[in-house]
Amino acid sequence: MVKVTLVKSTIGEVKSVKETVAALGLKKIRSEKTFEDSPALRGQLKKVAHLVKVENV
């Protein structure tokens, strides 16, 4: 399991980064979601790594 927290705003980011954050279900700063670890999730997290904090649960 992986806990993902949005720590930085998406303002000023390109559309694809904003869409990736939205696809992860993160809306406001400090919002958190827990996911099962998968290669697809890891790809999304790599794209938005500068905006999120990732913790193993």
Side-chain angles (χ1 to χ4, degrees), residues 12-29:
E13 295 293 334
V14 293
K15 184 179 178 183
S16 62
V17 171
K18 289 181 180 182
E19 290 173 347
T20 303
V21 170
L24 289 170
L26 303 172
K27 296 181 180 182
K28 296 182 177 184
I29 295 176

Side-chain angles (χ1 to χ4, degrees), residues 21-53:
V21 170
L24 289 170
L26 303 172
K27 296 181 180 182
K28 296 182 177 184
I29 295 176
R30 289 188 294 278
S31 61
E32 299 177 346
K33 285 282 213 165
T34 304
F35 300 97
E36 288 290 333
D37 200 6
S38 70
L41 177 67
R42 288 292 173 178
Q44 288 180 315
L45 295 178
K46 186 175 180 183
K47 184 171 193 167
V48 297
H50 58 290
L51 301 176
V52 299
K53 181 172 86 172

